[in-house]
Amino acid sequence: MTSPSSDPPRTLVLEAGRADLQYWRDLWRYRELFLILAWRDVAVRYKQTVIGLAWAFIRPFMTMVVFTVVFGKIAKLPTEGAAPYAVMVFAGLLPWTLFASILNDASTSIVGSFSLISKVYFPRLIVPLSTVLVAVIDFLVSLVILAGLMLWYGVVPGWQILLLPVFVMLTLVCSIGPALWAAAVLVKYRDFRFIVPFVTQIGLYISPVGFSGKIVPEQWSLLYSLNPMVGIIDGFRWCILGGSSPIDGPGFALGMGVIVVLLWWGIRSFRRSERAFADLI
Amino acid sequence: MSDVVIRSDKIGKKFRIGHRTADQGSFREAMLRGPRNLLRGAVDLIQGRSVVAGDSVEEFWALKDVDFAIRRGEAVGVIGRNGAGKTTLLKILSRIIEPTEGRLEITGRVASLLEVGTGFHPELSGRENIFLNGAILGMSRAEVRRRFEEIVDFSGVEKFIDTPVKRYSVGMHARLAFAVAAHLEAEIMVIDEVLAVGDSEFQARCLDRMSEVANAGRTVLFVSHNLAAVMALTKRALVFNAGHLFFDGPTEAAVSHYSASLSKGSSDRNWGRGRNATLVSATVVDADDRPDHRVDNAVRFVVDACSPDGIPYNFKQSAGQGTLAMRLGTPLRFAALPAPDPG
Ligand SMILES: Nc1ncnc2c1ncn2[C@@H]1O[C@H](COP(=O)(O)OP(=O)(O)O)[C@@H](O)[C@H]1O
Ligand SMILES: [Mg+2]
């Protein structure tokens, strides 16, 4: 989005099925749109709500309380090392919520902004990516709750906490792939509007969010790691709870492999169907 | 020629219709259409390809074999009845949709205005929406900030600039939206029928602004049903009819071609036969095709016969004293313009 004078006019060729060489450059040029769409979503979300931003705190906090009571107190599942159950749950809930909200919001984002997509050009990746930014902002709010919980229980993180940003990035990478794929498919098959929330709902219970991944029997653990969120949640707990929650090496590597494949697949699907979005919407 | 900024070479756009109406049920349909289609549907689905799952899809060409070239600084009108493919052309030019065939070369930044106020959010204030809409139209934040005062002035809603847009009247909404668009800076402006909103005073202001833009040496493509506006703003026009570029040339001639395409079928080119028309100006040629003399006073005449392209070139005066021959391509001006295509 440079002004015309600073950008020497170059000839753009439009042809059917032509790989758009300028796409990634455009994506960079439209970075302000990306920011402003994210800002719009955040600004609009809490308009006309009474307690506004407090909702961002209440939702994850209540989920944590319920999980701690159900899994820790009622089912009496073991925590990891000496960590308080609530902190362990919250450390798992953080990446999961980030993943699930990206998947839910990004997958419906293309259909949701049909009026933009059918009226102006911009790299379509901007739309799902801006919902990612919104989810990251919510995530940062939840981090504050985590800090509060850790203070309350007197949990002192080790040096591992410095690696937390790495795992946050991994969560983003992990969710963007499936989200892009779902966003592209949803343009044609609106059924996915119902399928995606269902998947994230089920995923919440089969991923080690409310319980520790260590309770999965040894012989199944590698298979269980095919769910890329298993490795990521383990990673979060390792960062937050320090040494008391070690990462399982091979399982983690497998999960990362799955993430890379999903990301590649998601971007490929999205880029392929993107040019037809305005035709189909 | 290096001066050409838009070159369209046999552009065509095919739409698939039929499945659009079945959007909601298409997944189920894909599942119910038997194993072969199911498999195909599943493969398409996994690949994220949004193809139609079914054997019979209705296809039609919204544009076909469209060839033209536009030079830097030209203002070109685009006219044609509803569904002729004008918006489709503009969407291809602005990269919203991809051509099905053909090749298009564009030099310079294109700002497209297919509607005013794209992306306006009702909950946000006028101020916030200016920044949002500006970004959507491709302006940078710095650019919007620099021109913010001008935009607000132009819109005339400064008193309500911090009020949510949902409290605006339709006219205020349109004013603010057009004000942002009017301050776009791009080499090539592509404008669809966006002037149908607002009161007549505001419409006049918009037209002024657009002629300013056109005179500032920018390339403008301007779609409108308001033929007077097209004639005022452009010297050249493209006429579309059922997806074909029907005519490309001087606006006056284009307008009469458009009228020709308005009459029942495109095969019926006998526009205005037997109708009354008023000749405003013309050049009369002698038998050797040399300009004989100009007619500038209004003369009433009745169309007697038409050229195959629809320009009435043979007519007799209503008094009935013989016929006037007129060279094809001579600019014709009609005082009473054909009524715009309604709706
Ligand atoms: N996404 C689409 N899918 C199917 N048909 C479409 C689509 N967009 C436009 N059309 C059809 O293409 C034709 C040309 O439309 P358009 O370019 O909007 O006409 P106009 O000249 O009135 O702007 C119309 O018949 C319209 O119904
Ligand atoms: Mg149109």
Side-chain angles (χ1 to χ4, degrees), chain B residues 318-332:
Chain B
S318 43
Q321 323 99 318
T323 51
L324 272 171
M326 223 173 114
R327 194 169 56 187
L328 225 151
T330 306
L332 269 178

Side-chain angles (χ1 to χ4, degrees), chain A residues 18-122:
Chain A
R18 185 184 175 89
D20 194 347
L21 299 174
Q22 295 204 349
Y23 190 83
W24 300 103
R25 220 176 60 120
D26 275 354
L27 198 61
W28 174 246
R29 292 198 349 184
Y30 277 85
R31 62 192 180 278
E32 283 189 1
L33 180 60
F34 159 72
L35 293 176
I36 216 157
L37 288 181
W39 161 81
R40 176 199 63 185
D41 289 346
V42 174
V44 165
R45 177 136 46 120
Y46 298 114
K47 289 223 164 150
Q48 295 208 342
T49 61
V50 179
I51 51 175
L53 203 65
W55 283 113
F57 289 94
I58 292 171
R59 268 191 319 180
F61 188 77
M62 291 314 287
T63 316
M64 182 273 297
V65 169
V66 169
F67 276 33
T68 305
V69 170
V70 171
F71 292 105
K73 295 281 188 288
I74 299 174
K76 296 216 165 38
L77 293 179
T79 179
E80 304 206 351
Y85 205 89
V87 178
M88 188 212 56
V89 165
F90 206 79
L93 200 57
L94 277 179
W96 178 264
T97 310
L98 182 58
F99 172 80
S101 50
I102 290 176
L103 199 57
N104 281 330
D105 298 346
S107 63
T108 51
S109 65
I110 294 291
V111 174
S113 33
F114 78 96
S115 62
L116 280 192
I117 285 178
S118 58
K119 296 290 193 238
V120 266
Y121 167 79
F122 51 85

Side-chain angles (χ1 to χ4, degrees), chain A:
Chain A
M1 291 198 292
T2 44
S3 70
S5 50
S6 68
D7 201 15
R10 51 163 70 206
T11 301
L12 178 75
V13 177
L14 306 178
E15 256 175 330
R18 185 184 175 89
D20 194 347
L21 299 174
Q22 295 204 349
Y23 190 83
W24 300 103
R25 220 176 60 120
D26 275 354
L27 198 61
W28 174 246
R29 292 198 349 184
Y30 277 85
R31 62 192 180 278
E32 283 189 1
L33 180 60
F34 159 72
L35 293 176
I36 216 157
L37 288 181
W39 161 81
R40 176 199 63 185
D41 289 346
V42 174
V44 165
R45 177 136 46 120
Y46 298 114
K47 289 223 164 150
Q48 295 208 342
T49 61
V50 179
I51 51 175
L53 203 65
W55 283 113
F57 289 94
I58 292 171
R59 268 191 319 180
F61 188 77
M62 291 314 287
T63 316
M64 182 273 297
V65 169
V66 169
F67 276 33
T68 305
V69 170
V70 171
F71 292 105
K73 295 281 188 288
I74 299 174
K76 296 216 165 38
L77 293 179
T79 179
E80 304 206 351
Y85 205 89
V87 178
M88 188 212 56
V89 165
F90 206 79
L93 200 57
L94 277 179
W96 178 264
T97 310
L98 182 58
F99 172 80
S101 50
I102 290 176
L103 199 57
N104 281 330
D105 298 346
S107 63
T108 51
S109 65
I110 294 291
V111 174
S113 33
F114 78 96
S115 62
L116 280 192
I117 285 178
S118 58
K119 296 290 193 238
V120 266
Y121 167 79
F122 51 85
R124 305 315 189 194
L125 265 174
I126 297 271
V127 170
L129 289 184
S130 77
T131 68
V132 170
L133 188 58
V134 175
V136 168
I137 293 170
D138 284 344
F139 171 81
L140 294 178
V141 170
S142 306
L143 270 188
V144 176
I145 307 180
L146 177 73
L149 269 184
M150 290 169 75
L151 269 178
W152 178 262
Y153 284 104
V155 178
V156 182
W159 59 269
Q160 291 93 338
I161 193 86
L162 295 176
L163 287 175
L164 194 64
V166 175
F167 289 96
V168 176
M169 289 307 294
L170 283 178
T171 316
L172 297 186
V173 172
C174 177
S175 42
I176 286 171
L180 290 182
W181 176 78
V185 167
L186 204 133
V187 172
K188 172 73 185 126
Y189 299 110
R190 303 291 156 93
D191 307 68
F192 276 77
R193 197 193 285 280
F194 308 105
I195 295 176
V196 170
F198 184 67
V199 167
T200 53
Q201 197 68 42
I202 300 284
L204 175 62
Y205 296 106
I206 63 174
S207 300
V209 176
F211 48 88
S212 161
K214 305 290 183 295
I215 65 171
V216 174
E218 195 74 44
Q219 67 267 35
W220 295 112
S221 77
L222 212 55
L223 188 66
Y224 192 52
S225 304
L226 273 177
N227 172 357
M229 285 310 287
V230 170
I232 288 176
I233 292 172
D234 278 356
F236 262 74
R237 290 195 171 132
W238 176 73
C239 290
I240 290 163
L241 304 174
S244 60
S245 169
I247 297 179
D248 165 40
F252 186 73
L254 186 63
M256 292 307 106
V258 173
I259 287 179
V260 171
V261 172
L262 287 179
L263 182 68
W264 170 77
W265 194 254
I267 293 179
R268 200 179 90 122
S269 310
F270 191 88
R271 290 284 287 123
R272 279 189 162 191
S273 47
E274 173 178 32
R275 27 177 135 253
F277 282 169
D279 293 345
L280 289 169
I281 271 176

